Amino acid sequence: MDSDSPAGQSMSHWLQFSSLELLVGIADHGSLSAGARAAGMAQSNASRALKTLERRLGYALVTRKTSGSTLTAEGVLTVQWAREALAGLNAFSAGVRSLAEHGNKELEFGASMTVAEYLAPSWIGQLHEKLPSVIPRMRIMNSHDVIQAVEQEQLSFGFVETPQLPSSLRSREVFRDEMLVVVSPAHPWAGRKDPVTLEELQETALIEREEGSGTRAFLNSLSAVERAKPIAEFNSNATICQLVAGGMGPAVLSQLAVENQLKQGALVEVPFAGPALMRELRAIWREERALNANERMLLGIAINQLPRS
């Protein structure tokens, strides 16, 4: 009997999960080269891995043509089983990682500027009341950098305010934030009777957050055309508020960032002609990863503060 066949030895001794990922990639993308890219495998290695898998299974999985690769009837069934096996492996990996992290006494997470300044302090306070032995460590950066850190596994968990998220990440809404157009009391817009239009915002130079911030990304997502170049860019909401109050120009900022200045009369809200400028602040983590107990606690605290519509 061929010792290289399934009957010759236990499949657990020779089956490589990377070969199953390759097979699923071929099924999803229609060619060996595309399947190899999806599995993160060199094409030369992919061809060899596929031949080895077919030899050890004892039947052909793929019919190769110049136009691409198609699954055999046996290949279709095998891909279905491969998906189930990979899903089980991912669940196993996520589960054991979650158990290993359960006793972790530190909670490190990333937070975009608006979340870090106006929401996270309350969340951290509540977390300390519930889990006093846990030491929270918050890394403050803009939304782009939080996303990049989570994608690259520098962080496992974070909060962002950008409307566009990669498909590799899972997310959960934690807060619905309204953006307001604000000016100084001396600005011409402060006394206008007609609401400012989206076209006006697009054509008006604003004091803005830096590229990569969720606030900047939200404004860009509203516009189908290129917006006017900013008067200035800063990575601090507080700095922008001070400059707007000083008469440098208008800005569009989170209501969280401007509510105190509005109450004090340092800023004036300009009505907007259209639906409220609402955005979602979201928690993010990698698709294949399960949140540990501390992260689930922080996420639950944040979600419980979600305003009811």
Side-chain angles (χ1 to χ4, degrees):
M1 182 177 292
D2 185 0
S3 61
D4 207 25
S5 70
Q9 57 181 304
S10 171
M11 187 175 290
S12 63
H13 291 159
W14 59 260
L15 182 62
Q16 295 183 329
F17 285 101
S18 59
S19 297
L20 298 186
E21 291 175 337
L22 171 64
L23 182 60
V24 170
I26 294 172
D28 289 342
H29 301 286
S31 71
L32 178 64
S33 58
R37 286 194 297 272
M41 187 182 298
Q43 186 166 348
S44 57
N45 294 338
S47 180
R48 186 163 50 250
L50 180 61
K51 290 179 181 177
T52 298
L53 181 61
E54 289 179 321
R55 184 177 70 252
R56 287 176 168 172
L57 290 176
Y59 54 82
L61 296 166
V62 173
T63 301
R64 302 164 185 80
K65 300 178 181 179
T66 55
S67 58
S69 301
T70 58
L71 297 175
T72 63
E74 294 84 356
V76 171
L77 284 174
T78 306
V79 164
Q80 179 179 337
W81 298 327
R83 291 188 196 276
E84 294 172 356
L86 291 171
L89 179 65
N90 288 335
F92 174 80
S93 176
V96 297
R97 188 182 297 116
S98 178
L99 290 177
E101 293 173 342
H102 185 82
N104 191 351
K105 295 304 181 183
E106 291 191 358
L107 171 56
E108 185 176 28
F109 64 96
S112 61
M113 297 295 293
T114 300
V115 173
E117 288 181 283
Y118 305 105
L119 295 174
S122 173
W123 299 346
I124 292 171
Q126 293 179 62
L127 179 72
H128 180 70
E129 291 179 3
K130 296 177 181 295
L131 300 173
S133 63
V134 172
I135 301 173
R137 302 186 186 279
M138 179 171 65
R139 290 173 54 182
I140 304 173
M141 55 190 83
N142 67 31
S143 291
H144 173 271
D145 292 338
V146 174
I147 291 170
Q148 189 173 61
V150 173
E151 282 192 305
Q152 296 177 358
E153 301 187 33
Q154 299 167 3
L155 287 171
S156 56
F157 187 57
F159 297 93
V160 297
E161 53 200 85
T162 184
Q164 298 174 336
L165 295 175
S167 60
S168 59
L169 299 181
R170 297 180 64 186
S171 72
R172 179 74 182 270
E173 181 187 346
V174 298
F175 194 85
R176 196 164 295 117
D177 184 32
E178 184 176 4
M179 306 293 286
L180 303 179
V181 183
V182 292
V183 296
S184 74
H187 192 277
W189 284 5
R192 64 183 289 165
K193 297 181 180 179
D194 297 328
V196 65
T197 65
L198 178 58
E199 290 72 19
E200 286 180 283
L201 283 183
Q202 293 170 343
E203 296 169 358
T204 301
L206 305 173
I207 308 174
E208 299 199 29
R209 286 287 307 279
E210 78 286 3
E211 286 285 357
S213 72
T215 299
R216 183 75 165 263
F218 175 79
L219 284 173
N220 290 339
S221 72
L222 296 177
S223 303
V225 298
E226 185 174 356
R227 298 191 299 112
K229 186 177 179 180
I231 300 172
E233 302 176 18
F234 301 95
N235 66 352
S236 165
N237 291 321
T239 298
I240 295 176
C241 285
Q242 291 178 21
L243 292 173
V244 173
M248 187 175 185
V252 179
L253 291 173
S254 165
Q255 54 91 16
L256 295 169
V258 301
E259 57 185 354
N260 286 337
Q261 289 87 342
L262 290 174
K263 291 177 182 177
Q264 296 167 4
L267 297 177
V268 174
E269 179 186 354
V270 182
F272 177 69
L277 300 175
M278 302 296 295
R279 65 175 179 173
E280 296 177 354
L281 309 186
R282 306 189 73 86
I284 60 169
W285 61 97
R286 291 187 301 281
E287 175 68 36
E288 74 281 2
R289 183 181 176 277
L291 297 180
N292 65 36
N294 297 338
E295 291 163 345
R296 290 196 301 273
M297 177 64 75
L298 181 60
L299 178 60
I301 289 170
I303 290 172
N304 286 338
Q305 292 193 355
L306 182 66
R308 300 291 182 182
S309 57

